[in-house]
């Protein structure tokens, strides 16, 4: 599975980067259920739960305090892209969630 690294220091609620959009589109286009008659209608960040964002911010603050010791580590919440495609051959709308 292809993974995309978010920009260092980016907030978990920051919009998808251009690289993330391209990666999500490539993963969907490579999926066996994707048809050539499909087009992308929308793509956006699936926001993590508020509790996850708050936990990340708390760990980031703790990391800053302990960075001098070399003990601080912070893992960012997963980045997910919500995507919508429309198949013009039959009018079918598909929703996709892509882990980046």
């Amino acid at each position: 599975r292809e993974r995309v690294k978010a920009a260092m220091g980016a907030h978990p609620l920051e919009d998808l980067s251009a690289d993330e959009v391209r990666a999500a589109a490539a993963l969907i286009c490579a999926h066996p259920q994707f048809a050539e008659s499909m087009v992308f209608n929308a793509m956006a960040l699936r926001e993590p739960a508020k509790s996850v964002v708050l936990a990340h911010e708390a760990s980031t603050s703790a990391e800053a305090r302990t960075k001098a010791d070399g003990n601080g580590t912070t893992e960012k919440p997963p980045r997910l892209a919500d995507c919508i495609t429309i198949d013009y051959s039959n009018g079918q709308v598909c929703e996709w969630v892509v882990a980046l």
Side-chain angles (χ1 to χ4, degrees):
R1 193 194 279 197
E2 182 179 341
R3 297 277 179 184
V4 178
K5 292 184 180 178
M8 294 300 290
H11 191 274
L13 298 178
E14 190 169 317
D15 288 338
L16 294 174
S17 69
D19 286 340
E20 290 172 317
V21 169
R22 282 189 287 273
L27 288 168
I28 292 170
C29 289
H31 194 279
Q33 292 180 343
F34 185 81
E36 286 189 25
S37 55
M38 289 180 169
V39 295
F40 286 90
N41 178 265
M43 188 179 301
L45 175 69
R46 174 174 280 194
E47 295 182 0
K50 185 175 182 176
S51 60
V52 173
V53 174
L54 292 176
H56 168 72
E57 289 177 348
S59 67
T60 301
S61 297
E63 178 186 14
R65 289 191 299 272
T66 61
K67 199 165 195 164
D69 308 8
N71 295 330
T73 59
T74 302
E75 196 169 310
K76 290 186 178 202
R79 302 274 290 170
L80 302 175
D82 278 327
C83 308
I84 297 174
T85 58
I86 300 172
D87 189 334
Y88 279 115
S89 69
N90 59 16
Q92 182 179 8
V93 175
C94 294
E95 295 181 36
W96 308 76
V97 178
V98 179
L100 300 168

